[in-house]
Amino acid sequence: MGRVSDLENRGNCSPPPYPPLFPAGVAIAGFLLFVACNRIPPDPTQPPAAEPETPVPTLTLLGAMTGEQQRKLELALEPFVEETGIRVIYQGTHAFTTLLPVRYEAGKLPDIAIFPQPGLMADYAGRGQLVPLDKIIDRAQLAAAYPPNWLELGGVNGKIYGIWYRASVKSLVWYDPQAFRDAGYTVPATWDELQQLSRQIIDDGNVPWCLGMESGDATGWVGTDWIEDIILRTSGPEIYDRWVKHDIPFTHPAVRDAFETFGNIALDPKSVVGGTLGVLAIPFDRSPDGLFTDPPQCYLHRQASFISNYFPEGVVLGEDADIFPLPPIDEEFGLPILVGGDVVSMFRDTPEARKLMRYLASPTPHQIWAELGGYLSPHQGVSPDTYPDEVTRKQAEILSEADAIRFDASDMMPGVVGTGTFWNGITDYVEGEDLDTVLEQIDRSWPESSR
């Protein structure tokens, strides 16, 4: 073995200075000499070769949150990324409802999706595309995290396919309290008082409502929210539930009356900024800006809790912006509250996706976003004291004191209706289409299998 070491350490390819003793020694010495003479010496001018990198575990997350909401979502995911080392690629788009079917047809579904409509989630669950969460997260854990009605909203045919990450109180009217004080206006408690306030604002030469429906491929949802809120207040939860299930058609008087009540505002050029053209052209996320101009371009804005994420920089909740619930119309039904939310579902059953779903079902990401503001969680593990401002705590109070709570109807209906013909129909109505024609077209689009 000493002779082998001597050979390997030689700096030239000369024959060894000793005669081999055995034929086997000849073979070994010759082989080692060949290796030594054909070894390529390292290039001193080049850095040493890098060790091959271990692939980083990655998953894709598709959602409708963009801008400031996306930033807060990513902050809420940071502890998960740091703890697991899993890279989360979030893909945010306003065109979620149209992009997801395209990716489905192309076979490029994300690992996980954050659905803004449980009806759309139910469509994919019905196709067998979603992974039941019962085998991933213990039912007892889910029951401890969410009230029964939220668990029910995430279920299809007795199985849970979605967990709720964000809730929105939709039945809110935003206003600038200082602008109200300067103009001598008071917060209305009834629909009659709201109408009186609107007439007073118009008589003062001002415009009551900020209202913008433009939302790209999702244009129309702002208007359908109005219809749903009005039906709850004029016809009550029972009729509302029957309408959501299509037990009563879109041509029913309750639905027609709600469209006309909305039209009394949206189609009145004195009631909305920019008139009807403004309603159609102003992006929903820019429509509240008029509350905060000097002088105000408008004094009232009906929109869900999340809209504060889009307020102009410098607007302070509680000082520059406050809320009151959209008032009741028929006293028989008290004060019902319309809610929405984002539900998370899993398309691909991977270890990475399972870990993220379990994390999203825990209080941690909910608490992080709650502390950042502009967010309301349905998770029972989030204390009201977590919210950083009085306005958000007031939203939680409105939700807890509601006489009835119903989920956004368009989000519960089959996707072809709720996020299709209903959205399109309310837009057509504002554009001037005959109301009866609009309602008949929406009703005819209801899938036969869901009738």
Side-chain angles (χ1 to χ4, degrees):
M1 292 300 294
R3 292 184 176 182
V4 174
S5 298
D6 290 341
L7 180 61
E8 287 180 328
N9 290 327
R10 293 183 61 83
N12 57 63
C13 292
S14 302
Y18 45 82
L21 299 178
F22 302 103
V26 174
I28 295 172
F31 172 73
L32 294 173
L33 180 64
F34 172 80
V35 172
C37 293
N38 289 277
R39 181 180 297 151
I40 300 174
D43 185 347
T45 66
Q46 298 295 321
E51 292 292 329
E53 295 185 1
T54 302
V56 177
T58 302
L59 62 81
T60 54
L61 176 61
L62 181 68
M65 303 173 198
T66 61
E68 183 68 6
Q69 296 178 79
Q70 176 174 337
R71 184 186 73 84
K72 291 179 178 179
L73 170 63
E74 290 170 344
L75 288 172
L77 294 177
E78 280 186 358
F80 171 80
V81 174
E82 292 172 0
E83 180 179 342
T84 64
I86 297 171
R87 181 187 178 201
V88 180
I89 301 176
Y90 176 72
Q91 301 161 335
T93 172
H94 284 311
F96 179 93
T97 55
T98 53
L99 178 61
L100 186 60
V102 171
R103 292 185 59 166
Y104 169 70
E105 293 296 334
K108 297 182 178 180
L109 287 168
D111 295 301
I112 293 173
I114 305 178
F115 287 89
Q117 300 94 11
L120 190 59
M121 178 209 72
D123 288 348
Y124 283 90
R127 298 174 191 169
Q129 293 294 317
L130 297 180
V131 179
L133 302 181
D134 308 63
K135 63 178 182 180
I136 297 171
I137 306 171
D138 185 72
R139 275 244 183 192
Q141 179 185 347
L142 290 173
Y146 295 97
N149 56 337
W150 288 97
L151 287 181
E152 183 180 345
L153 287 170
V156 178
N157 296 327
K159 295 182 179 180
I160 297 176
Y161 288 93
I163 54 176
W164 292 92
Y165 184 52
R166 185 174 64 159
S168 293
V169 179
K170 295 202 167 194
S171 307
L172 299 177
V173 179
W174 295 84
Y175 70 103
D176 181 341
Q178 185 59 53
F180 259 49
R181 287 192 292 268
D182 292 344
Y185 303 146
T186 57
V187 172
T190 67
W191 190 263
D192 287 341
E193 291 179 2
L194 179 63
Q195 290 181 307
Q196 291 169 11
L197 173 60
S198 297
R199 287 193 293 268
Q200 183 181 353
I201 294 173
I202 293 172
D203 291 343
D204 290 343
N206 299 315
V207 177
W209 291 97
C210 303
L211 177 56
M213 286 174 42
E214 200 283 321
S215 186
D217 292 336
T219 295
W221 67 264
V222 173
T224 61
D225 279 5
W226 272 91
I227 301 301
E228 293 153 7
D229 248 336
I230 293 169
I231 290 177
L232 274 177
R233 283 158 174 72
T234 56
S235 300
E238 182 180 347
I239 291 294
Y240 184 91
D241 292 343
R242 293 179 60 197
W243 170 55
V244 169
K245 298 174 183 177
H246 204 234
D247 290 341
I248 64 171
F250 266 82
T251 52
H252 190 277
V255 184
R256 195 181 197 285
D257 290 347
F259 267 77
E260 290 184 331
T261 300
F262 172 63
N264 290 336
I265 296 172
L267 304 182
D268 179 1
K270 294 182 179 180
S271 292
V272 289
V273 173
T276 305
L277 182 60
V279 173
L280 295 168
I282 297 173
F284 81 93
D285 52 350
R286 296 273 59 88
S287 60
D289 289 359
L291 293 175
F292 311 112
T293 58
D294 187 17
Q297 296 176 355
C298 49
Y299 286 82
L300 304 164
H301 182 61
R302 183 229 158 271
Q303 189 51 275
S305 51
F306 70 83
I307 197 62
S308 61
N309 289 296
Y310 298 103
F311 286 168
E313 187 176 354
V315 171
V316 178
L317 294 182
E319 297 180 13
D320 307 308
D322 206 343
I323 57 170
F324 60 87
L326 186 69
I329 298 177
D330 189 327
E331 293 182 1
E332 176 187 352
F333 306 117
L335 180 61
I337 295 297
L338 184 71
V339 300
D342 297 283
V343 61
V344 189
S345 298
M346 189 166 74
F347 278 105
R348 302 188 187 281
D349 191 355
T350 67
E352 294 80 13
R354 286 186 171 215
K355 288 180 181 178
L356 182 55
M357 294 300 292
R358 293 187 183 113
Y359 175 73
L360 293 174
S362 74
T364 301
H366 301 257
Q367 291 170 339
I368 292 173
W369 198 341
E371 291 172 354
L372 295 171
Y375 168 84
L376 196 64
S377 175
H379 200 291
Q380 297 183 134
V382 179
S383 166
D385 296 335
T386 308
Y387 300 111
D389 59 85
E390 184 60 34
V391 172
T392 307
R393 289 191 286 270
K394 189 182 293 187
Q395 294 168 15
E397 182 181 326
I398 290 172
L399 192 59
S400 66
E401 295 181 355
D403 292 308
I405 294 175
R406 288 297 183 272
F407 205 87
D408 183 294
S410 63
D411 291 348
M412 297 292 290
M413 293 173 179
V416 67
V417 181
T419 61
T421 56
F422 192 10
W423 284 1
N424 295 335
I426 192 67
T427 304
D428 292 341
Y429 173 60
V430 175
E431 287 179 338
E433 185 74 36
D434 173 68
L435 178 55
D436 289 328
T437 300
V438 167
L439 297 176
E440 289 168 3
Q441 289 175 342
I442 299 173
D443 201 65
R444 283 200 301 270
S445 72
W446 199 282
E448 288 291 337
S449 59
S450 303
R451 290 179 184 272

